[in-house]
Coordinates of all heavy atoms in Angstrom, one line a residue:
Y1105 N 0.8 -1.2 0.0 CA 0.0 0.0 0.0 C 0.8 1.3 0.0 O 0.3 2.4 -0.2 CB -0.9 0.0 1.2 CG -1.8 -1.2 1.4 CD1 -1.7 -2.0 2.4 CD2 -2.8 -1.4 0.4 CE1 -2.6 -3.1 2.6 CE2 -3.7 -2.5 0.5 CZ -3.5 -3.4 1.6 OH -4.3 -4.5 1.7
D1106 N 2.1 1.1 0.3 CA 2.9 2.3 0.5 C 4.0 2.5 -0.5 O 4.7 1.6 -0.9 CB 3.6 2.2 1.9 CG 2.7 1.8 3.0 OD1 1.5 2.3 3.0 OD2 3.1 1.0 3.9
F1107 N 4.2 3.8 -0.9 CA 5.3 4.2 -1.7 C 6.2 5.0 -0.8 O 5.8 6.1 -0.4 CB 5.0 4.9 -3.0 CG 6.2 5.2 -3.8 CD1 6.7 4.2 -4.7 CD2 6.8 6.5 -3.8 CE1 7.8 4.5 -5.4 CE2 7.9 6.7 -4.6 CZ 8.4 5.7 -5.4
L1108 N 7.4 4.5 -0.5 CA 8.3 5.2 0.4 C 9.3 6.0 -0.5 O 10.1 5.5 -1.2 CB 9.2 4.2 1.2 CG 8.4 3.0 1.9 CD1 9.3 2.1 2.6 CD2 7.4 3.6 2.8
T1109 N 9.1 7.3 -0.4 CA 9.9 8.3 -1.2 C 11.2 8.5 -0.5 O 11.4 9.4 0.2 CB 9.2 9.6 -1.4 OG1 7.8 9.4 -1.8 CG2 9.8 10.4 -2.5
V1110 N 12.1 7.5 -0.7 CA 13.4 7.6 0.1 C 14.3 8.7 -0.3 O 15.2 9.1 0.4 CB 14.1 6.2 0.0 CG1 13.3 5.1 0.6 CG2 14.4 5.8 -1.5
G1111 N 14.2 9.2 -1.5 CA 15.0 10.4 -1.9 C 14.1 11.5 -2.4 O 12.9 11.6 -2.0
S1112 N 14.6 12.3 -3.3 CA 13.9 13.4 -4.0 C 13.0 14.2 -3.0 O 11.8 14.4 -3.2 CB 13.1 12.9 -5.1 OG 12.1 12.0 -4.7
M1113 N 13.7 14.8 -2.0 CA 13.0 15.5 -0.9 C 12.1 16.6 -1.5 O 12.6 17.4 -2.3 CB 14.0 16.0 0.1 CG 13.4 16.8 1.3 SD 14.7 17.2 2.4 CE 13.8 18.3 3.6
G1114 N 10.9 16.7 -1.0 CA 10.0 17.8 -1.5 C 9.1 17.4 -2.6 O 8.2 18.2 -3.0
H1115 N 9.2 16.2 -3.2 CA 8.4 15.8 -4.3 C 7.4 14.8 -4.1 O 6.7 14.3 -5.0 CB 9.4 15.3 -5.4 CG 10.3 16.4 -6.0 ND1 9.8 17.5 -6.6 CD2 11.7 16.4 -6.0 CE1 10.9 18.3 -7.0 NE2 12.0 17.6 -6.6
T1116 N 7.2 14.4 -2.8 CA 6.2 13.4 -2.5 C 4.8 13.7 -2.9 O 4.1 12.9 -3.5 CB 6.2 13.1 -0.9 OG1 7.5 12.6 -0.6 CG2 5.2 12.1 -0.5
S1117 N 4.4 15.0 -2.6 CA 3.0 15.4 -3.0 C 2.8 15.4 -4.5 O 1.7 15.1 -4.9 CB 2.7 16.7 -2.4 OG 3.5 17.7 -2.9
S1118 N 3.8 15.7 -5.2 CA 3.6 15.6 -6.7 C 3.5 14.2 -7.2 O 2.7 13.9 -8.1 CB 4.8 16.4 -7.4 OG 4.9 17.7 -7.0
I1119 N 4.3 13.3 -6.7 CA 4.1 11.9 -7.0 C 2.7 11.5 -6.7 O 2.0 10.8 -7.5 CB 5.1 11.0 -6.2 CG1 6.6 11.4 -6.6 CG2 4.9 9.5 -6.4 CD1 7.6 10.8 -5.7
A1120 N 2.2 11.8 -5.5 CA 0.9 11.4 -5.1 C -0.2 12.0 -6.0 O -1.2 11.4 -6.3 CB 0.7 11.9 -3.6
M1121 N 0.0 13.3 -6.4 CA -1.0 13.9 -7.3 C -1.2 13.1 -8.6 O -2.4 12.9 -9.0 CB -0.6 15.3 -7.6 CG -1.5 16.1 -8.5 SD -1.0 17.8 -8.8 CE -2.1 18.2 -10.2
S1122 N -0.2 12.7 -9.2 CA -0.3 11.9 -10.4 C -1.0 10.6 -10.2 O -1.8 10.1 -11.0 CB 1.0 11.7 -11.1 OG 1.4 12.9 -11.9
I1123 N -0.7 10.0 -9.0 CA -1.3 8.7 -8.7 C -2.8 8.9 -8.5 O -3.7 8.2 -9.0 CB -0.7 8.1 -7.5 CG1 0.8 7.7 -7.8 CG2 -1.5 6.9 -7.0 CD1 1.6 7.3 -6.6
A1124 N -3.2 10.0 -7.8 CA -4.6 10.3 -7.5 C -5.4 10.6 -8.8 O -6.5 10.2 -8.9 CB -4.7 11.5 -6.5
V1125 N -4.7 11.3 -9.7 CA -5.4 11.6 -11.0 C -5.7 10.3 -11.7 O -6.8 10.2 -12.3 CB -4.5 12.5 -11.8 CG1 -5.0 12.6 -13.3 CG2 -4.5 13.9 -11.2
N1126 N -4.8 9.4 -11.7 CA -5.0 8.1 -12.4 C -5.7 7.0 -11.7 O -6.1 6.0 -12.3 CB -3.6 7.6 -12.9 CG -3.0 8.4 -14.0 OD1 -3.4 8.3 -15.2 ND2 -2.1 9.3 -13.7
K1127 N -5.9 7.2 -10.4 CA -6.7 6.3 -9.6 C -7.8 7.1 -8.8 O -7.8 7.1 -7.6 CB -5.8 5.5 -8.6 CG -4.7 4.7 -9.3 CD -5.3 3.6 -10.2 CE -4.2 2.8 -10.9 NZ -4.7 1.7 -11.8
P1128 N -8.8 7.6 -9.5 CA -9.7 8.6 -8.9 C -10.7 7.9 -7.9 O -11.3 8.6 -7.2 CB -10.4 9.2 -10.1 CG -10.4 8.1 -11.2 CD -9.0 7.5 -11.0
N1129 N -10.8 6.6 -7.9 CA -11.7 5.9 -7.0 C -11.1 5.5 -5.7 O -11.8 4.8 -4.9 CB -12.3 4.7 -7.8 CG -13.1 5.1 -9.0 OD1 -13.8 6.1 -9.0 ND2 -13.0 4.4 -10.1
K1130 N -9.9 5.9 -5.4 CA -9.2 5.6 -4.2 C -8.7 6.9 -3.5 O -8.3 7.8 -4.2 CB -8.1 4.6 -4.4 CG -8.4 3.2 -4.4 CD -8.8 2.6 -3.1 CE -8.9 1.1 -3.1 NZ -9.3 0.5 -1.8
K1131 N -8.8 6.9 -2.2 CA -8.2 8.0 -1.5 C -6.7 7.8 -1.6 O -6.2 6.7 -1.5 CB -8.6 8.0 0.0 CG -10.0 8.4 0.2 CD -10.2 9.9 0.0 CE -11.6 10.3 0.4 NZ -11.9 11.8 0.1
V1132 N -5.9 8.9 -1.8 CA -4.5 8.8 -1.8 C -4.0 9.7 -0.6 O -4.3 10.9 -0.6 CB -3.9 9.3 -3.1 CG1 -2.4 9.4 -3.1 CG2 -4.3 8.4 -4.3
W1133 N -3.3 9.0 0.3 CA -2.9 9.7 1.5 C -1.4 10.1 1.4 O -0.6 9.3 0.9 CB -3.0 8.8 2.7 CG -4.4 8.4 3.0 CD1 -5.2 7.6 2.3 CD2 -5.2 8.7 4.2 NE1 -6.5 7.4 2.9 CE2 -6.5 8.1 4.0 CE3 -4.9 9.5 5.3 CZ2 -7.5 8.3 5.0 CZ3 -5.9 9.7 6.3 CH2 -7.2 9.0 6.1
I1134 N -1.1 11.3 1.7 CA 0.3 11.8 1.7 C 0.8 12.1 3.1 O 0.1 12.8 3.9 CB 0.4 13.1 0.9 CG1 -0.2 13.0 -0.5 CG2 1.8 13.6 0.8 CD1 -0.4 14.3 -1.2
V1135 N 1.9 11.4 3.5 CA 2.5 11.7 4.7 C 3.8 12.5 4.4 O 4.8 12.0 3.9 CB 2.9 10.4 5.5 CG1 3.7 10.7 6.8 CG2 1.6 9.6 5.8
D1136 N 3.7 13.8 4.7 CA 4.7 14.7 4.4 C 5.4 15.3 5.6 O 4.8 15.2 6.7 CB 4.1 15.9 3.5 CG 5.0 16.4 2.4 OD1 6.2 16.1 2.5 OD2 4.4 17.1 1.5
G1137 N 6.5 16.0 5.4 CA 7.1 16.7 6.5 C 7.2 18.2 6.2 O 7.1 18.6 5.1
D1138 N 7.4 18.9 7.2 CA 7.5 20.4 7.0 C 8.7 20.8 6.2 O 8.6 21.7 5.3 CB 7.5 21.1 8.4 CG 8.6 20.7 9.3 OD1 8.5 19.6 9.9 OD2 9.5 21.5 9.5
G1139 N 9.9 20.2 6.5 CA 11.0 20.5 5.7 C 10.9 20.2 4.2 O 11.3 21.0 3.3
A1140 N 10.3 19.0 4.0 CA 10.0 18.6 2.6 C 9.0 19.5 1.9 O 9.2 19.9 0.7 CB 9.6 17.2 2.6
M1141 N 8.0 19.9 2.6 CA 6.9 20.8 2.1 C 7.5 22.1 1.7 O 7.3 22.7 0.6 CB 5.8 20.9 3.1 CG 4.7 21.8 2.6 SD 3.8 22.7 3.9 CE 5.0 23.9 4.3
L1142 N 8.4 22.6 2.6 CA 9.0 23.9 2.3 C 10.0 23.9 1.1 O 10.1 24.9 0.4 CB 9.8 24.4 3.5 CG 8.9 24.8 4.8 CD1 9.8 25.0 6.0 CD2 8.2 26.1 4.5
M1143 N 10.6 22.7 0.9 CA 11.6 22.6 -0.1 C 11.1 22.9 -1.5 O 11.8 23.6 -2.3 CB 12.3 21.3 0.0 CG 13.4 21.1 -1.0 SD 14.6 19.8 -0.7 CE 15.6 20.5 0.6
H1144 N 9.9 22.4 -1.8 CA 9.3 22.7 -3.1 C 7.8 23.1 -2.9 O 6.9 22.3 -3.3 CB 9.5 21.5 -4.0 CG 10.9 21.2 -4.4 ND1 11.7 22.0 -5.1 CD2 11.7 20.1 -4.1 CE1 12.9 21.5 -5.3 NE2 12.9 20.4 -4.6
M1145 N 7.6 24.2 -2.3 CA 6.3 24.6 -1.9 C 5.4 24.9 -3.0 O 4.2 25.0 -2.9 CB 6.4 25.8 -0.9 CG 5.2 25.9 0.0 SD 5.4 26.9 1.5 CE 5.9 28.5 0.8
G1146 N 6.0 25.1 -4.2 CA 5.1 25.4 -5.4 C 4.2 24.2 -5.7 O 3.1 24.4 -6.3
S1147 N 4.5 23.0 -5.2 CA 3.6 21.9 -5.5 C 2.3 22.1 -4.7 O 1.3 21.5 -5.2 CB 4.3 20.6 -5.0 OG 4.6 20.6 -3.6
L1148 N 2.3 22.9 -3.6 CA 1.0 23.1 -3.0 C 0.0 23.9 -3.9 O -1.2 23.6 -3.9 CB 1.2 23.9 -1.7 CG 1.9 23.3 -0.5 CD1 2.0 24.2 0.7 CD2 1.3 22.0 -0.1
A1149 N 0.6 24.8 -4.6 CA -0.2 25.6 -5.5 C -0.8 24.7 -6.7 O -1.9 24.9 -7.1 CB 0.6 26.8 -6.1
L1150 N 0.0 23.8 -7.2 CA -0.4 22.9 -8.2 C -1.5 22.0 -7.7 O -2.5 21.8 -8.4 CB 0.8 22.1 -8.7 CG 0.6 21.3 -10.0 CD1 0.4 22.2 -11.2 CD2 1.8 20.4 -10.2
L1151 N -1.3 21.5 -6.5 CA -2.3 20.6 -5.9 C -3.6 21.4 -5.7 O -4.7 20.9 -6.0 CB -1.8 20.0 -4.6 CG -1.1 18.6 -4.8 CD1 -0.3 18.3 -3.5 CD2 -2.1 17.5 -5.0

């Protein structure tokens, strides 16, 4: 059930967004951190 984003800090939510678009009948949960969110905060606007 889990995709562990072991690298590419700050890009977890963007990975999740594409999964959610392609799997619209399932909830997609993102477990993010504040440092990662700040690193590429533009993804919040896209989401």
Side-chain angles (χ1 to χ4, degrees):
Y1105 303 116
D1106 310 323
F1107 184 79
L1108 311 178
T1109 313
V1110 295
S1112 61
M1113 183 174 171
H1115 294 299
T1116 299
S1117 61
S1118 297
I1119 296 169
M1121 178 178 167
S1122 277
I1123 293 170
V1125 168
N1126 287 281
K1127 301 295 177 179
N1129 296 320
K1130 277 286 190 181
K1131 290 288 188 186
V1132 176
W1133 298 67
I1134 304 168
V1135 176
D1136 215 345
D1138 56 286
M1141 182 209 70
L1142 291 168
M1143 182 162 281
H1144 295 296
M1145 201 159 61
S1147 61
L1148 293 182
L1150 191 66
L1151 266 165

